[in-house]
Every structure is written in C-alpha cells, then in structure tokens.
Amino acid sequence: DKTCALVSYQGFDAALEIPTQIDGYTVITIRGGCFSGFASYMLEELTIPDSVTTLDDGALQSCFSLKSVRLPENLEKIGAHVFESCTAMETIDIPTSVTSIGAYAFYNCVSLVSLVVPDSVTEIGNYAFGNCSWLQNITLSENLTAIADYMFTGCIDLLSVQVPEGVRTIGAAAFNECR
C-alpha cells in the first residue's frame, strides 16, 4: 500500500496544485492543520488531486486568503472545521462523491454567497454553515433526514433554503439569527 497523507505545507504560493504522488506514494488524505502558519495567509487557489478521498478535521481551517478550491472527484468526506474561517472563499463545488460534511465545516466562511450540497450527502454536522453571514442561497441534499443544531445560525443574509421532503427533524436554533 503505497499511499500517504499530506501533513504539512510550508510554502508561500498564492496558487498550489497538490500532486497526485509524492516520492512514489499516492496522496489520499490531507491532514488537519496541514496549511497552518504562513500558508494560511498566502494561499488563494488550491487544486486537490482526485486521489484524495478525505479532508481530515481542520485540514484547511483559517486559510484566510483562500478564494477557490478545486475538490477531488473522489472525495468522500469533508471533516469537521475543514474550511472554517476561510473568510475569502466565495464559492465551492462539492463533488457528488461526498457523503458527509462535518460540524463547523464551513463555519465563518463569511464571503460564501451560494452553495449546492449534492444529493450524495446524507449527513451534515452542527454549525456546518454557521456564521456564513453573506450566504444567500443554499440547495440541500434531497437525502438529508435532519437539519443539524445551529446549522445556519448567524447566516443573516440567508434568503432561501429548500428543506428536503425527507427531513424529519430540525435541530435547536438551526436558523438562529437568520432573516
């Protein structure tokens, strides 16, 4: 099994394309905190290879300058806090391979305006889109059965959410501070 996880990136690039392989090992995971330090202030564009299936908790957390990310077509899980406080990110395409979005995954992505959560997603964690204050429109997966606690809290510009028919529970304060 010649696979590896990207653990730390210490570059100063504004745009980065992560290679599929590093020293003959296929990159399948991006670990939490991988882009901390100076990278979190410099990185604006990121391309993640299709070999990556998991973004661990906090993988891109607080990449303040990150505007765009190309997510891999084989991504299965967006962990907790992955994009938390990526305050410059305006849009992101979630691949149809993703089945779960962790708690606080997009928390405080204040520049995010719209989002489509594909039907492959069956679970979204608490506060996943909390404090996305510019978020206006979101399309949720038709396969969701619950709206998590505080999922949209602080989304003060939220204009439209189509709640899927299969949703049976709406968590505590899920739409707190929404108009």
Side-chain angles (χ1 to χ4, degrees):
D1 184 298
K2 292 190 67 134
T3 61
C4 68
L6 192 59
V7 176
S8 179
Y9 174 75
Q10 300 301 317
F12 299 98
D13 299 305
L16 176 66
E17 183 172 339
I18 298 170
T20 300
Q21 291 195 335
I22 298 174
D23 294 333
Y25 290 86
T26 302
V27 180
I28 61 167
T29 301
I30 308 234
R31 292 275 189 240
C34 181
F35 290 92
S36 61
F38 287 115
S40 67
Y41 293 96
M42 307 299 282
L43 192 61
E44 294 179 12
E45 297 175 25
L46 179 64
T47 301
I48 302 172
D50 287 336
S51 59
V52 172
T53 57
T54 302
L55 297 176
D56 278 354
D57 296 352
L60 295 158
Q61 185 174 0
S62 300
C63 284
F64 304 110
S65 299
L66 190 62
K67 293 179 184 174
S68 68
V69 178
R70 187 232 169 244
L71 293 175
E73 289 300 318
N74 298 316
L75 186 64
E76 298 168 1
K77 175 187 173 189
I78 297 174
H81 306 276
V82 167
F83 297 106
E84 180 180 339
S85 295
C86 290
T87 54
M89 187 165 42
E90 297 173 357
T91 184
I92 188 164
D93 292 326
I94 300 172
T96 57
S97 54
V98 173
T99 59
S100 68
I101 297 173
Y104 294 88
F106 293 93
Y107 186 84
N108 203 37
C109 289
V110 295
S111 297
L112 195 61
V113 174
S114 66
L115 187 66
V116 174
V117 178
D119 289 341
S120 56
V121 174
T122 57
E123 181 181 13
I124 301 176
N126 296 343
Y127 290 95
F129 308 105
N131 207 37
C132 292
S133 53
W134 287 5
L135 185 64
Q136 295 179 1
N137 300 295
I138 186 162
T139 302
L140 292 173
S141 166
E142 286 296 322
N143 293 309
L144 284 180
T145 57
I147 303 287
D149 294 346
Y150 303 95
M151 186 184 282
F152 298 104
T153 193
C155 294
I156 58 174
D157 281 351
L158 192 61
L159 301 173
S160 171
V161 176
Q162 185 69 36
V163 177
E165 284 186 36
V167 168
R168 298 291 172 245
T169 58
I170 295 178
F175 296 95
N176 186 41
E177 299 177 8
C178 295
R179 291 184 191 182

